[in-house]
């Protein structure tokens, strides 16, 4: 019996380097239990949408959550991956996809997370504090910003000469772009088992 792949929607807001890592992993056969069938963004200018188009993946732009929920239902989405997505999802969406939404955060939660802690600000805070090690976390999404169960983490050294920009780049290269595809495959496989 052919077991259907978990249908994945990736939500983005910006450059889409994490989306790119997911698409590259799918192409390289490192994501096999799920298929990225849709990319959604709250930002029509997001370069991530160009990356989706280059990979032949459908995309849509939304402002209201009702439109998001309609599209997810229409496309029979099983799993949502937040990859640089900057809006907070309402309890409505979170409940509708309980245990099936994951997010990548560019720090080792519980450090440098929660309200207002996103993108470059995370690395500014890490450098300000003077931590010697930071990294990235993939976690399930619940109603507390960056509060859901941790799925995976990867540590990255902070160097004395680091700026927020150099640190962000290293955390992306050495942690985010490795962790997110691995976690996406693992959770997609779990959903696929439960789904069939
Ligand atoms: C990344 O640092 C990611 O961890 C955070 O948003 C930043 C931009 O991600 N959530 P991307 O290049 O748009 O994937």
């Amino acid at each position: 019996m052919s077991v259907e792949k978990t249908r994945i929607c990736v939500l983005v807001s910006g450059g889409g380097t994490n989306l790119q890592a997911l698409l590259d992993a799918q192409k390289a056969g490192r994501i096999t239990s799920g298929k990225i069938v849709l990319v959604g963004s709250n930002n029509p200018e997001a370069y991530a949408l160009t990356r989706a188009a280059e990979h032949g993946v459908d995309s849509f732009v939304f402002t209201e959550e009702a439109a998001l929920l309609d599209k997810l239902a229409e496309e029979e989405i099983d799993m949502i991956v937040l990859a640089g997505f900057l809006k907070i999802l309402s309890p409505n969406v979170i409940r509708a996809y309980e245990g099936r939404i994951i997010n990548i955060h560019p720090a080792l939660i519980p450090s440098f997370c929660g309200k207002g802690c996103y993108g470059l600000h995370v690395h500014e805070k890490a450098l300000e504090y003077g931590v010697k090690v930071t990294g990235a976390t993939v976690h399930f999404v619940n109603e507390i910003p960056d509060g859901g169960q941790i799925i995976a983490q990867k540590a990255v050294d902070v160097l004395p000469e680091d700026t927020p920009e150099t640190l962000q780049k290293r955390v992306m290269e050495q942690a985010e772009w490795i962790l997110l595809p691995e976690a996406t495959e693992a959770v997609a496989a779990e959903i696929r088992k439960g789904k069939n």
Side-chain angles (χ1 to χ4, degrees), residues 14-19 83-85 104-106 119 123 168 172 176:
T17 64
N18 279 285
L19 170 66
F85 183 64
I104 177 88
H105 182 74
H123 305 293
Q168 178 178 53
M172 283 177 161
E176 297 180 45

Side-chain angles (χ1 to χ4, degrees), residues 11-191:
L11 297 183
V12 296
S13 297
T17 64
N18 279 285
L19 170 66
Q20 189 66 53
L22 290 168
L23 294 169
D24 294 346
Q26 180 170 275
K27 194 167 176 189
R30 286 183 280 113
I31 295 180
T32 54
S33 300
K35 185 171 178 5
I36 298 165
V37 296
L38 188 63
V39 171
S41 182
N42 60 306
N43 171 11
E45 308 300 316
Y47 185 68
L49 296 170
T50 304
R51 295 181 192 269
E54 284 167 355
H55 271 259
V57 178
D58 284 347
S59 63
F60 70 107
V61 175
F62 64 94
T63 42
E64 302 307 318
E65 272 199 355
L68 169 62
L69 283 167
D70 288 349
K71 189 72 177 171
L72 293 173
E74 189 186 308
E75 297 295 327
E76 297 179 313
I77 297 301
D78 302 304
M79 175 182 176
I80 300 168
V81 179
L82 307 185
F85 183 64
L86 295 180
K87 279 178 76 77
I88 300 291
L89 294 174
S90 77
N92 262 2
V93 177
I94 292 168
R95 274 197 290 271
Y97 289 87
E98 187 78 45
R100 296 187 291 143
I101 310 176
I102 68 173
N103 178 53
I104 177 88
H105 182 74
L108 296 174
I109 291 175
S111 297
F112 313 117
C113 66
K115 207 159 163 38
C117 236
Y118 58 88
L120 215 50
H121 300 306
V122 174
H123 305 293
E124 287 164 355
K125 291 176 189 287
L127 290 172
E128 210 174 286
Y129 198 99
V131 294
K132 302 306 175 194
V133 174
T134 186
T137 303
V138 181
H139 61 96
F140 284 106
V141 172
N142 65 12
E143 295 171 27
I144 304 157
D146 300 326
Q149 179 198 338
I150 290 175
I151 299 167
Q153 294 188 303
K154 193 164 176 26
V156 173
D157 287 338
V158 180
L159 302 180
E161 67 278 12
D162 264 329
T163 64
E165 290 75 11
T166 60
L167 185 54
Q168 178 178 53
K169 189 163 182 295
R170 189 176 320 109
V171 169
M172 283 177 161
E173 287 168 348
Q174 296 184 6
E176 297 180 45
W177 299 344
I178 295 166
L179 277 186
L180 192 56
E182 289 176 352
T184 297
E185 168 54 26
V187 174
E190 285 307 301
I191 291 170

